[in-house]
Amino acid sequence: MIVKVIVERNDNGNYQAVPEIDEKIGFFGMGKTVFAAMDDLRNSYEEAKSMEPSLAEMEFECEYDTASFLQMFKGRMNLADLQNITGISRKQLNHYVTGYRRPSPKTVRRIQDGIRKFAEELGRITLV
């Protein structure tokens, strides 16, 4: 069973990973990073399975808020790179990473569209 997980930066600066399920046993993940929150989610799921063996096997498919996405990829892509891809200034992107500001829905679409366009360009590359 594929379960959608919402990964968000909360108000205290930590990250939470909350699955959207209708099961009786609830579980979620928390951590100082997106990766820590996802690890905690997987551990919580394993604990829930040990308490309720009939709990379905689950694969997690994540949706990220902007701050979580930026935090997750900051070791692979810096804000200058993302500025080039999206056209949004590094300063503004940094406000989203730190939680100082939240992007508008229009800005979220701009970031998402820029990243998807870049991913499509990468997908068309052939190395010889």
Side-chain angles (χ1 to χ4, degrees):
M1 164 202 285
I2 296 176
V3 175
K4 181 168 83 170
V5 175
I6 305 298
V7 181
E8 298 177 302
R9 183 180 190 276
N10 58 28
D11 292 338
N12 67 7
N14 289 324
Y15 296 87
Q16 58 191 30
V18 180
E20 293 188 341
I21 57 173
D22 295 328
E23 301 289 334
K24 293 177 186 175
I25 297 177
F27 56 91
F28 61 94
M30 296 284 294
K32 292 198 179 287
T33 68
V34 171
F35 296 112
M38 287 304 298
D39 284 345
D40 190 44
L41 172 69
R42 287 184 201 94
N43 290 336
S44 296
Y45 168 61
E46 291 302 322
E47 287 178 26
K49 273 182 32 182
S50 71
M51 291 186 294
E52 185 60 49
S54 65
L55 191 63
E57 287 296 320
M58 296 179 192
E59 289 182 47
F60 301 122
E61 188 172 274
C62 298
E63 291 187 7
Y64 303 92
D65 72 348
T66 304
S68 297
F69 169 81
L70 294 172
Q71 190 275 329
M72 187 174 70
F73 279 94
K74 75 179 182 182
R76 300 178 201 164
M77 177 186 303
N78 64 39
L79 295 182
D81 296 330
L82 198 54
Q83 175 180 298
N84 292 334
I85 292 168
T86 64
I88 298 169
S89 75
R90 286 184 301 191
K91 183 178 178 181
Q92 196 63 35
L93 291 167
N94 189 57
H95 287 312
Y96 304 148
V97 171
T98 62
Y100 181 70
R101 290 210 170 116
R102 292 187 187 265
S104 68
K106 181 180 177 182
T107 302
V108 170
R109 278 190 307 279
R110 232 174 114 187
I111 293 169
Q112 183 171 294
D113 291 347
I115 291 166
R116 287 187 174 160
K117 182 179 176 191
F118 181 65
E120 288 171 9
E121 292 170 9
L122 288 175
R124 290 190 299 267
I125 291 174
T126 301
L127 301 176
V128 292

